Amino acid sequence: MTAAFDYEDMHHLVDRLTPTQVRRLRLLVTQDEELSQVAAEALLPRPDEEQPVPDGLLALIGAVNGPEDLAERHDEYIRERMRRRFGDQA
């Protein structure tokens, strides 16, 4: 098994976790002796910490129209649009 395969496998796994499961995973990672060192440098700040909102983000909010699950299923939506536009060879 290659590192690239491991990375992709874990990426897809995390994408399928519920928010509660993600919080639990984050807790497990931060409590692990080896992983916590990486987590301290790499993990984003917790959502409950006060942070300024970047100006560019404020301009983007509300600019994207689509189904409620667009973020989770964007690949499927793009494939479907390609099939409608170019047929089954897309």
Side-chain angles (χ1 to χ4, degrees):
M1 197 179 287
T2 67
F5 179 78
D6 288 342
Y7 175 80
E8 287 298 315
D9 191 39
M10 289 302 297
H11 181 81
H12 291 294
L13 171 67
V14 171
D15 281 346
R16 288 170 175 77
L17 296 176
T18 66
T20 302
Q21 291 170 324
V22 170
R23 285 190 293 275
R24 183 167 183 218
L25 178 61
R26 183 181 185 141
L27 179 63
L28 292 171
V29 167
T30 58
Q31 291 178 343
D32 181 272
E33 184 176 332
E34 183 179 344
L35 296 176
S36 64
Q37 295 171 5
V38 177
E41 300 169 4
L43 290 177
L44 298 173
R46 297 182 63 81
D48 54 340
E49 295 175 3
E50 191 79 23
Q51 297 177 26
V53 176
D55 293 334
L57 182 62
L58 294 176
L60 178 64
I61 294 174
V64 177
N65 295 321
E68 292 179 6
D69 62 350
L70 181 62
E72 293 86 9
R73 297 185 52 211
H74 69 278
D75 288 341
E76 295 171 37
Y77 288 119
I78 291 171
R79 276 190 217 101
E80 180 58 33
R81 277 180 53 191
M82 297 292 284
R83 275 191 207 99
R84 283 196 308 258
R85 188 171 189 181
F86 300 110
D88 285 332
Q89 69 267 18

